[in-house]
Amino acid sequence: MATPQQTIVTSFVTLTEKIANSKTNVLDFGSPELTFYRGEIHTIKLIGDFPGIYCSELARKLGITRAVVHRTIGILQKRDFILKEPDADNKKRVRLFLTDSGQHAYHLHEEYHQQYDQQLVDYIDQLSPDQLEIIGGFLTHATDLIDNHA
């Protein structure tokens, strides 16, 4: 019989595997032009959250290489979701912004998360400060383990 600690570790590993394996899933917001791979919509989300962000910052925040960011940006730019503008202070760097279509996709993604994350938000709202601290500590530790996992 598994100990409570083993059960938690197994549950966490199962969760991380589900997350890792879902990266190729597609989010469909009702039409072919509003269908995105998760990496694409999360790129749109970060540009919407941080208008004018640089590719290097985007790569850091997403935890991916700049090459992957540049490829995704190229796809989204061709699809008219992202606009590149030269940085006024450094012409070698570009700042990223959302087009009107990008803003629309950003808002659809926000609505999607509001709908599907509500159960988790409701659960978290019912926890005591001590319980939140324990969960926060676990998530910090687990994230560090994933970041350093070979």
Side-chain angles (χ1 to χ4, degrees), residues 39-96:
E40 292 170 344
I41 197 64
H42 290 142
T43 297
I44 288 171
K45 183 201 181 335
L46 277 177
I47 295 169
D49 288 347
F50 301 98
I53 192 170
Y54 298 108
C55 288
S56 57
E57 292 173 302
L58 193 59
R60 245 187 326 278
K61 288 182 182 296
L62 289 170
I64 58 178
T65 65
R66 285 185 287 166
V68 172
V69 166
H70 286 288
R71 187 169 57 244
T72 304
I73 293 300
I75 291 167
L76 292 172
Q77 187 177 20
K78 285 178 189 170
R79 292 179 62 193
D80 193 36
F81 290 103
I82 291 176
L83 176 67
K84 291 178 171 180
E85 290 186 6
D87 183 30
D89 298 326
N90 182 346
K91 298 296 181 195
K92 293 180 184 178
R93 296 180 76 182
V94 295
R95 300 173 69 83
L96 302 171

Side-chain angles (χ1 to χ4, degrees), residues 2 5 9 13 15 17 22 24 30 45 52 56 64 67-68 76 78 87 97-98 126 130 140 146:
Q5 293 88 341
V9 169
V13 169
L15 175 63
E17 287 299 318
S22 73
T24 58
K45 183 201 181 335
S56 57
I64 58 178
V68 172
L76 292 172
K78 285 178 189 170
D87 183 30
F97 297 91
L98 297 179
Q126 296 175 7
D130 288 343
T140 298
I146 291 170

Side-chain angles (χ1 to χ4, degrees), residues 98-132:
L98 297 179
T99 63
D100 289 341
S101 297
Q103 285 289 340
H104 181 63
Y106 175 85
H107 290 297
L108 288 172
H109 183 246
E110 292 292 304
E111 289 171 10
Y112 170 86
H113 276 288
Q114 286 173 0
Q115 178 182 354
Y116 289 100
D117 295 349
Q118 193 57 50
Q119 280 184 308
L120 180 59
V121 170
D122 292 345
Y123 173 76
I124 290 170
D125 284 346
Q126 296 175 7
L127 298 176
S128 71
D130 288 343
Q131 290 170 315
L132 290 171

Side-chain angles (χ1 to χ4, degrees), residues 130-145:
D130 288 343
Q131 290 170 315
L132 290 171
E133 187 175 336
I134 291 167
I135 291 171
F138 171 78
L139 291 173
T140 298
H141 187 72
T143 301
D144 290 344
L145 287 173

